[in-house]
Amino acid sequence: MKVAVVGAGAIGAYVGAALHRAGAEVHLIARGPHLEAMRRDGVRVLSPRGDFTARPAATDDPSDVGPVDYVFLGLKANSYAMSGPLVHPLMHQDTAVVAAQNGIPWWYFHGLDGPYTGRRLDSVDPGGSVSAALPPERAVGCVVYAATELEAPGVVRHLEGTRFSIGEPDRSVSARCLDFSEAMVAGGLKCPVEPDLRNDIWIKLLGNISFNPISALARATMGQICRHRDARALVESMMRETLDVAAAVGCRPGMSVERRIAGAERVGDHKTSTLQDLEKGKPLELDVLLAAVVELAELAGTPVPTLRAVHALADLLATTSSAPAGSAP
């Protein structure tokens, strides 16, 4: 099995190191000091499950790698539309793209029977730009339940979780999913093949759609949000509206709001990825988390007043945080 990891940051390098340890031919696509460190010293994984070092190939030029069986996308979803030059040199006729993203994926209605079959969501696939770079028929969905961070260039700190749920958009249990799952498990990770990955997407989204924008707007950790009575009530309202939208488009994930908040509360004073991006001056990954659900609500005719209000504020924050002070958004 030949795998290229495009965007070999904390999650991507962790997956690449695990697959390399399982015997796959792995190529990490990265840049800057992180790339140089991986070329020199390999990927060092520091984990409560045991530290290890893997030495997969690493490059900044995918044309050096050539066609692969799987592309594992470790990029943020807001980079997908521009990923074509990185991904296309890696493709052969049957290459699968395992997209490890939060939120609503660009392939959401691909292969899904019902009134919205093949519908494109402009918030996650503007003008079809993502589908042009990453054809939906190549997509294998992936919901990440692992937490990692780059402690230093070439050094991945694994904090918790080893589960990477994957699944086909058309709900089939395909050979390509089973083969990828087997390699991930051989590398020490959990990788269940889910007949309907959309359930996992919505369950994880319940937390991301609420805690992520609120944490950025309030500069607050998940624990601080849970302990603040009115902020907690806001999270509950956002989650309930999100479940209404999921049901309206045909998905009823088996997760209550109370249980989802309790799980977030156990995480404690953790900064969400959106707050971390804000503090680092990076673009905020809010379209797939929040704008997409508002668009789905419009499509289904579902009222979501709380989601709309938070989306307006978060979108303003995303606009102003990336603009020079005093400039018009």
Side-chain angles (χ1 to χ4, degrees):
M1 178 185 293
K2 186 177 180 181
V3 182
V5 178
V6 175
I11 283 290
Y14 179 59
V15 168
L19 288 171
H20 183 267
R21 188 165 62 162
E25 179 187 343
V26 177
H27 298 264
L28 306 179
I29 314 295
R31 61 186 180 183
H34 180 50
L35 170 61
E36 295 309 313
M38 292 191 294
R39 279 174 164 167
R40 184 183 62 247
D41 304 319
V43 179
R44 292 180 57 211
V45 175
L46 309 179
S47 171
R49 304 173 73 238
D51 302 346
F52 69 95
T53 299
R55 298 182 180 275
T59 181
D60 59 0
D61 186 356
S63 63
D64 291 342
V65 178
V68 300
D69 301 309
Y70 296 90
V71 173
F72 183 90
L73 276 186
L75 302 170
K76 289 290 184 74
N78 49 18
S79 300
Y80 283 6
M82 300 175 288
S83 67
L86 291 173
V87 173
H88 292 168
L90 303 168
M91 297 291 195
H92 60 57
Q93 183 176 348
D94 298 319
T95 300
V97 176
V98 182
Q101 73 162 96
N102 289 323
I104 301 296
W106 83 101
W107 52 260
Y108 189 84
F109 288 123
H110 177 73
L112 183 65
D113 293 333
Y116 307 118
T117 299
R119 183 80 178 230
R120 181 179 59 81
L121 297 174
D122 198 60
S123 52
V124 299
D125 190 8
S129 56
V130 176
S131 291
L134 306 168
E137 60 271 15
R138 292 188 180 272
V140 170
C142 179
V143 178
V144 178
Y145 294 95
T148 60
E149 62 185 20
L150 276 183
E151 187 161 293
V155 182
V156 175
R157 171 71 66 178
H158 171 230
L159 303 172
E160 62 177 356
T162 60
R163 182 178 161 199
F164 293 76
S165 296
I166 63 172
E168 292 283 357
D170 67 0
R171 296 172 168 163
S172 64
V173 178
S174 65
R176 67 182 185 176
C177 280
L178 292 172
D179 289 346
F180 188 79
S181 171
E182 182 179 351
M184 292 279 277
V185 171
L189 304 178
K190 296 177 181 177
C191 189
V193 179
E194 300 291 351
D196 193 349
L197 191 69
R198 290 171 182 84
N199 287 324
D200 288 66
I201 288 171
W202 284 103
I203 288 171
K204 188 170 184 187
L205 182 57
L206 282 176
N208 290 147
I209 200 173
S210 50
F211 285 100
N212 286 52
I214 292 172
S215 70
L217 289 163
R219 301 332 196 250
T221 67
M222 293 172 68
Q224 289 170 326
I225 294 168
C226 287
R227 292 190 295 269
H228 189 279
R229 184 188 62 185
D230 292 339
R232 187 185 185 107
L234 180 61
V235 167
E236 291 177 358
S237 179
M238 294 178 74
M239 287 188 177
R240 294 190 193 285
E241 289 181 4
T242 300
L243 287 175
D244 289 343
V245 176
V249 296
C251 189
R252 297 183 180 275
M255 175 69 69
S256 69
V257 167
E258 294 75 17
R259 183 180 168 195
R260 190 67 181 86
I261 292 178
E265 196 166 18
R266 286 193 297 272
V267 174
D269 288 316
H270 167 73
K271 292 182 179 182
T272 69
S273 59
T274 304
L275 177 55
Q276 292 179 50
D277 286 344
L278 180 67
E279 292 177 341
K280 294 173 183 175
K282 294 182 177 180
L284 304 186
E285 190 185 30
L286 291 172
D287 287 345
V288 295
L289 300 183
L290 189 48
V293 178
V294 172
E295 184 177 353
L296 284 170
E298 292 176 352
L299 185 64
T302 304
V304 287
T306 311
L307 292 179
R308 288 184 181 279
V310 175
H311 173 240
L313 293 172
D315 189 58
L316 177 61
L317 174 64
T319 302
T320 56
S321 66
S322 61
S327 64

